[in-house]
Amino acid sequence: MDYQELKNIYDTPLYVYNFDDIKSRYEALKSEFKARKSLICYAVKANSNLSLLKMLADLGSGFDCVSIGEVKRAILAGAKSYKIIFSGVGKKDSEIKEAINLDILMINVESSAELLRVESVAKELNKKARISIRVNPNIDAKTHPYISTGLKENKFGVDIEKAKSMYLKAKNSSFLDPVGIHFHIGSQLLDITPVHEAAKVVAKLLNELKAVDIDIKFFDVGGGIGIRYNKEEPVNLYQYAQGILESLKGQDLTIVCEPGRYIVGECGELLTSVIYEKINDKKRFVIVDAAMNDLLRPSLYGAYHEILSLKNTQTSNCDVVGPVCESGDFLAKDINLPDLESGDLLVVKNAGAYGFTMSSNYNTRARAAEVAIEAGKHRLIRKRESFEDLIKNELVEDFGAKY
Ligand SMILES: *Cc1c(COP(=O)(O)O)cnc(C)c1O
């Protein structure tokens, strides 16, 4: 793709996604489970652009959502309601109600308090809510603490014993239908053995439930497949799938997998333009027009994103920083780039997941535009925000007619 042309047409900061690559990754994962019934439920929070969701829905993908907003996005994009899962540690009654009315595949319950809320809302609606329970298998996912979710000390899910009693309660309720079992131990997992260990632990619970006539139909292994940001060894999808399939020997279930980052992470780039360079003491800063409000991962997790220049001249050490008024506002630290001038383009790699979706309007900065590349052609899939967009919900007394 001609980055310069994209910049000329759409301006920067600009998110660019390769839809063909996203499609291939979806298909590759799906085919690894071909020996069994399977459902890939793409995790909407990784990148929730409607055009992207529509493409995945057209391929037959399901969706894992963590708010009713995401559920509605998925449906708007053409998702089948029976392929939508609603997860998350805190769901409001109004969200539970909408989810039940939309007849989604299942609500993924994360506590006994939540189970009671779902039951009571279902009762009010005189409906039976399909649920799964998120089990916390207490397994160390060996990833960044902010994105590790499968340990006792994390807020997610319930322990095995608690899960068992919740299943029994659900079974005996006229308003709950326990159809699934779920775990999700963390994100950006490069070593997949913890997922296999978790699958074994949870499959054991499955057998115990079967013994008391609770027939689970969906075995949901969550997401978390790691991607290559730097020089990491990519996850072997065949081994990933085989380990899960092995833990389910002899059981007739649909395997559900909820990848987010794996599907979109490596298929997106953030284009940004240099504003100017600045040298303080001996430190060289490249100040660019994208900032932490556009791509939060470096600031939030100290995450690494490769940054490429289109120039081939000699490089030197620098930090790439945005214009936001925070010292934590950087896209990269101590990387090597050529001497850059105003307007030079930089490409921030592997920014397709948790990029735009974590962006904000901090410093009254408009959020970036998004472009899709498909079959060699580019098209705008989200307009750049305008100043009017940023202030449209604000109410000011006696401000006159201007706004
Ligand atoms: C965030 C999340 C995912 C997706 O995680 P990735 O690391 O992006 O694959 C899947 N399932 C649940 C429940 C999640 O919270």
Side-chain angles (χ1 to χ4, degrees):
M1 216 356 94
D2 185 339
Y3 294 119
Q4 197 60 48
E5 184 190 342
L6 292 177
K7 172 184 153 117
N8 296 343
I9 298 172
Y10 302 109
D11 204 357
T12 55
L14 181 71
Y15 274 101
V16 181
Y17 310 121
N18 188 316
F19 275 24
D20 299 314
D21 290 348
I22 294 171
K23 221 177 272 182
S24 312
R25 290 176 81 90
Y26 170 84
E27 302 282 12
L29 184 60
K30 177 74 184 164
S31 75
E32 291 299 347
F33 288 106
K34 61 180 175 293
R36 302 285 294 247
K37 283 175 284 182
S38 71
L39 177 63
I40 308 282
C41 285
Y42 167 70
V44 174
K45 71 178 187 285
N47 188 326
S48 55
N49 184 283
L50 284 172
S51 300
L52 195 155
L53 300 185
K54 178 178 182 302
M55 176 189 55
L56 288 170
D58 289 347
L59 293 176
S61 181
F63 296 90
D64 176 57
C65 304
V66 292
S67 69
I68 201 70
E70 287 190 354
V71 172
K72 290 200 236 182
R73 261 185 191 275
I75 287 175
L76 190 60
K80 303 275 189 277
S81 59
Y82 60 83
K83 291 184 178 177
I84 293 177
I85 301 173
F86 185 14
S87 305
V89 279
K91 305 179 189 76
K92 294 171 63 147
D93 281 6
S94 56
E95 293 184 293
I96 295 168
K97 184 171 172 181
E98 274 194 78
I100 295 174
N101 277 332
L102 287 166
D103 206 21
I104 63 167
L105 176 60
M106 54 197 179
I107 297 176
N108 194 9
V109 174
E110 300 216 15
S111 63
S112 5
E114 188 184 344
L115 191 69
L116 289 177
R117 291 317 309 155
V118 174
E119 184 185 34
S120 123
V121 173
K123 187 173 177 185
E124 235 169 75
L125 299 171
N126 198 25
K127 287 191 172 167
K128 210 163 184 172
R130 281 182 299 275
I131 59 145
S132 59
I133 292 174
R134 178 166 179 175
V135 179
N136 183 332
N138 193 26
I139 282 171
D140 186 354
K142 306 193 187 98
T143 186
H144 190 290
Y146 282 15
I147 50 179
S148 176
T149 55
L151 280 172
K152 280 207 292 276
E153 56 265 38
N154 300 128
K155 68 178 175 180
F156 300 97
V158 297
D159 65 47
I160 298 272
E161 282 312 305
K162 176 65 134 244
K164 216 187 288 178
S165 70
M166 286 166 66
Y167 274 111
L168 285 171
K169 174 170 171 57
K171 180 187 179 234
N172 294 324
S173 164
S174 319
F175 303 100
L176 297 172
D177 186 9
V179 295
I181 195 160
H182 174 253
F183 67 88
H184 170 73
I185 59 172
S187 195
Q188 183 56 11
L189 311 179
L190 292 162
D191 174 6
I192 45 169
T193 36
V195 177
H196 297 158
E197 283 168 39
K200 269 190 215 133
V201 169
V202 176
K204 189 165 159 275
L205 173 60
L206 211 58
N207 289 327
E208 292 171 28
L209 294 175
K210 205 166 212 170
V212 289
D213 252 1
I214 299 174
D215 194 20
I216 300 296
K217 299 182 184 69
F218 297 94
F219 187 80
D220 184 345
V221 301
I225 305 170
I227 62 166
R228 190 165 206 176
Y229 284 105
N230 197 354
K231 295 186 175 70
E232 302 92 336
E233 185 70 26
V235 169
N236 180 319
L237 287 187
Y238 173 78
Q239 284 168 6
Y240 169 77
Q242 284 304 308
I244 292 164
L245 292 168
E246 257 166 46
S247 66
L248 289 178
K249 265 194 211 119
Q251 314 227 39
D252 180 30
L253 300 144
T254 299
I255 294 171
V256 181
C257 179
E258 305 170 338
R261 191 187 310 272
Y262 159 78
I263 300 281
V264 292
E266 291 184 36
C267 310
E269 297 167 323
L270 173 61
L271 307 193
T272 182
S273 302
V274 173
I275 301 179
Y276 28 65
E277 291 206 16
K278 168 173 181 175
I279 312 236
N280 265 2
D281 208 358
K282 280 181 201 116
K283 183 88 214 172
R284 174 184 169 212
F285 294 99
V286 176
I287 303 170
V288 297
D289 67 356
M292 65 187 289
N293 74 295
D294 298 299
L295 180 63
L296 184 62
R297 299 187 67 260
S299 307
L300 185 62
Y301 311 124
Y304 172 82
H305 283 272
E306 184 183 5
I307 298 184
L308 301 178
S309 159
L310 306 186
K311 286 184 165 170
N312 292 320
T313 48
Q314 201 180 346
T315 64
S316 66
N317 185 276
C318 64
D319 286 1
V320 178
V321 302
V324 163
C325 302
E326 300 277 344
S327 295
D329 177 29
F330 60 89
L331 298 180
K333 286 202 161 172
D334 288 319
I335 63 164
N336 289 310
L337 286 175
D339 283 344
L340 296 163
E341 287 161 37
S342 277
D344 281 352
L345 195 53
L346 293 176
V347 183
V348 184
K349 304 289 287 180
N350 306 314
Y354 306 103
F356 187 91
T357 48
M358 281 193 176
S359 66
S360 76
N361 295 124
Y362 187 41
N363 280 206
T364 305
R365 289 171 51 86
R367 281 182 295 174
E370 297 180 290
V371 162
I373 311 285
E374 201 168 9
K377 293 206 181 79
H378 52 80
R379 68 173 193 274
L380 189 64
I381 55 173
R382 184 183 170 111
K383 287 197 277 191
R384 185 175 304 286
E385 279 178 332
S386 64
F387 174 68
E388 285 68 29
D389 291 331
L390 299 189
I391 57 161
K392 68 173 184 275
N393 290 326
E394 293 183 48
L395 306 170
V396 184
E397 269 181 88
D398 305 326
F399 220 52
K402 195 168 173 201
Y403 292 114

